[in-house]
Amino acid sequence: MTSSSLHAGHFRFLHTSDWQLGMPARFLGEESSTRFAEARLAAVEKVFAIAMEQQCQAIVVAGDVFDSNLLRPEVYRRAMNVLERAPVPVFLLPGNHDPFDAASIYREEDFERLSERREDGAPVVVLTDMEPVTVEAVGETSVQVVGAPLMSKKPSTDLVAQTLAHVEENHGPAQAGQIRVLVGHGGVSSFGDSFNVSEISVETASEACSRRVVDYVALGDTHSTQQLNDAGTVWYSGAHEVTDYLQPDGGGESHSGYALVVDITVDPEDAGSPATVEVTEYRTGQWAFLAMEADINSLEDAEDFIDKLRAVENQRHTSVKYALRGTIDLRTSAWLDDRIEELAPGFSALYERSRLMDLHVMPGENELASMDVGGGYMQVAAEELAVKSQDKDTVAADALRLLFRLNTTAVKEA
């Protein structure tokens, strides 16, 4: 440890959440889904490595460690294998995906074993109630972690506010030289237009920090990293690895794949002075999910879209869903289909966003005449498909595109 992380009144820890180990990603396909599952575990190992490199004294995981309380055996056992090698004490909070109910995965004997100090790894403690838990081996500073665990998938109250009230009533504000961190999970009342009783009040959490009931509120649930108050004492860490798509307008999961290293400093002799909190982001994930849109009405537009696909970095760890709008001729359609088919194997997934696709194919002048389909019934069929495609008959348009591509291939091979 550096002197800065050992002096009285200082605590450095890593805040992460929403690992959702065991998360299905069926849209990726079997091969990419397997790699994605492994990446979620690798990102946990990255979290551990950052904690060591930055000399953190603990790790808090603010809910949804697991995607479900019912895991496949291989997912569960591999997660245990990683957790048992934790380099510093780890505090796990049950979230809405893995609540501490009667069937909770945290009731498995492995967690009791991991909670004990071991020679081969640091304790892994599940926060199952609202009582403060003391963090061991943090120099001259007394540090407590307090959990606001979810006992069901849908809580009926603001559990963070409830836990803060419990701590204040039963333990009072933090003493001189003491630091407290509260770990919670759920949506916050400052998001969106609606409010329900289970949403976490950022105002209540902020005020509790100013009164030193706790010094920092580590939240999970939203998968993008976000500071929630001006004082910087209430944060969402975001998921350690991507779980959803970044939308073209910047919405969706816009800033996931990070963990937060948090430094809390308090006056060791003055309990009334608010803590100083500094938060630093560290990259932990390597995957990306992108939603793309484009207006395509010419070959130039199609080339521009393909250029954007080619420019995507780290394609083997990137899933792209796309929505195209416009009207193009048969040659442009065939060229676009060929390029997408060529690029698709390089991505973890590359597929149409069917609900939003609005790309129509209308044969250009002389395109039907140039097709060598043998005349007769085939020519009549091609002309009928062309008429139907103009009426936005997607089945007819797909058939005409296929006929054109097959014809073009046959001519090339002749």
Side-chain angles (χ1 to χ4, degrees):
M1 293 287 180
T2 63
S3 58
S4 63
S5 59
L6 280 175
H7 71 70
H10 181 262
F11 177 50
R12 174 177 290 175
F13 69 100
L14 188 145
H15 170 197
T16 179
S17 70
D18 298 278
W19 293 353
Q20 289 188 220
L21 302 178
M23 172 189 170
R26 298 179 183 88
F27 58 88
L28 289 177
E30 184 176 354
E31 185 270 339
S32 291
S33 292
T34 299
R35 291 192 294 113
F36 182 64
E38 173 57 28
R40 302 197 76 76
L41 273 178
V44 174
E45 294 174 325
K46 179 67 173 177
V47 164
F48 288 175
I50 291 171
M52 286 293 290
E53 292 166 3
Q54 298 304 314
Q55 301 182 358
C56 295
Q57 295 150 306
I59 296 169
V60 300
V61 190
D64 288 357
V65 179
F66 302 99
D67 192 63
S68 168
N69 277 326
L70 300 174
L71 297 178
R72 298 192 310 275
E74 64 272 20
V75 173
Y76 173 77
R77 183 48 54 198
R78 290 166 187 171
M80 292 301 104
N81 290 343
V82 171
L83 284 172
E84 67 187 7
R85 296 194 299 275
V88 296
V90 178
F91 296 88
L92 308 178
L93 183 79
N96 62 295
H97 277 260
D98 52 2
F100 194 62
D101 56 20
S104 176
I105 194 168
Y106 298 112
R107 298 185 186 276
E108 295 288 339
E109 292 182 0
D110 283 305
F111 288 99
E112 182 176 353
R113 174 178 61 84
L114 289 174
S115 68
E116 301 170 354
R117 176 162 291 283
R118 295 162 290 115
E119 293 183 0
D120 60 340
V124 177
V125 178
V126 182
L127 301 170
T128 59
D129 57 37
M130 297 182 289
E131 285 301 311
V133 178
T134 299
V135 182
E136 300 178 13
V138 286
E140 302 175 37
T141 306
S142 171
V143 177
Q144 294 178 334
V145 174
V146 186
L150 275 70
M151 300 299 184
S152 64
K153 287 182 175 293
K154 296 182 178 181
S156 59
T157 189
D158 178 348
L159 294 174
V160 167
Q162 184 181 58
T163 302
L164 288 168
H166 171 84
V167 171
E168 187 166 21
E169 179 180 352
N170 292 278
H171 303 278
Q175 300 173 8
Q178 185 180 60
I179 291 174
R180 282 191 191 138
V181 174
L182 186 142
V183 190
H185 187 90
V188 297
S189 58
S190 58
F191 278 14
D193 299 325
S194 63
F195 174 80
N196 65 61
V197 293
S198 68
E199 289 179 333
I200 297 166
S201 169
V202 174
E203 181 180 2
T204 299
S206 299
E207 289 177 352
C209 290
S210 67
R211 298 196 312 274
R212 295 217 57 225
V213 178
V214 297
D215 297 298
Y216 180 87
V217 178
L219 295 181
D221 185 58
T222 292
H223 292 181
S224 295
T225 301
Q226 187 171 354
Q227 179 178 330
L228 294 173
N229 67 341
D230 292 338
T233 56
V234 185
W235 281 75
Y236 276 125
S237 68
H240 73 319
E241 182 59 272
V242 65
T243 59
D244 205 353
Y245 282 87
L246 171 63
Q247 299 297 327
D249 62 0
E253 198 164 306
S254 59
H255 196 58
S256 58
Y258 293 86
L260 305 178
V261 172
V262 183
D263 284 285
I264 301 177
T265 305
V266 298
D267 189 326
E269 298 180 356
D270 182 4
S273 298
T276 299
V277 177
E278 296 182 4
V279 177
T280 307
E281 298 179 8
Y282 286 86
R283 182 71 177 165
T284 56
Q286 59 178 329
W287 281 63
F289 293 167
L290 303 177
M292 299 179 67
E293 295 179 355
D295 291 309
I296 298 183
N297 293 288
S298 66
L299 179 59
E300 290 75 17
D301 291 341
E303 291 172 338
D304 181 63
F305 174 67
I306 292 300
D307 286 343
K308 289 178 180 177
L309 284 178
R310 286 180 172 144
V312 172
E313 298 179 357
N314 196 20
Q315 292 182 11
R316 71 180 185 279
H317 293 139
T318 302
S319 174
V320 175
K321 61 180 181 181
Y322 59 89
L324 306 179
R325 300 175 296 265
T327 302
I328 53 178
D329 59 24
L330 285 168
R331 293 187 187 281
T332 300
S333 174
W335 182 89
L336 183 62
D337 289 344
D338 286 343
R339 299 294 83 72
I340 291 175
E341 187 176 298
E342 171 189 311
L343 292 174
F347 286 86
S348 65
L350 177 61
Y351 61 97
E352 291 183 358
R353 200 173 186 179
S354 301
R355 180 175 59 87
L356 299 180
M357 283 290 289
D358 193 25
L359 185 64
H360 304 287
V361 179
M362 294 184 63
E365 187 176 356
N366 299 322
E367 279 192 323
L368 287 181
S370 69
M371 291 173 59
D372 183 11
V373 293
Y377 291 118
M378 288 296 292
Q379 188 66 35
V380 172
E383 293 172 355
E384 289 182 355
L385 289 173
V387 172
K388 290 182 178 181
S389 67
Q390 292 177 10
D391 293 330
K392 299 186 177 181
D393 184 327
T394 57
V395 174
D398 288 344
L400 185 61
R401 289 162 64 187
L402 178 59
L403 182 61
F404 184 83
R405 291 181 72 190
L406 292 173
N407 178 258
T408 301
T409 301
V411 170
K412 288 180 179 178
E413 293 177 351

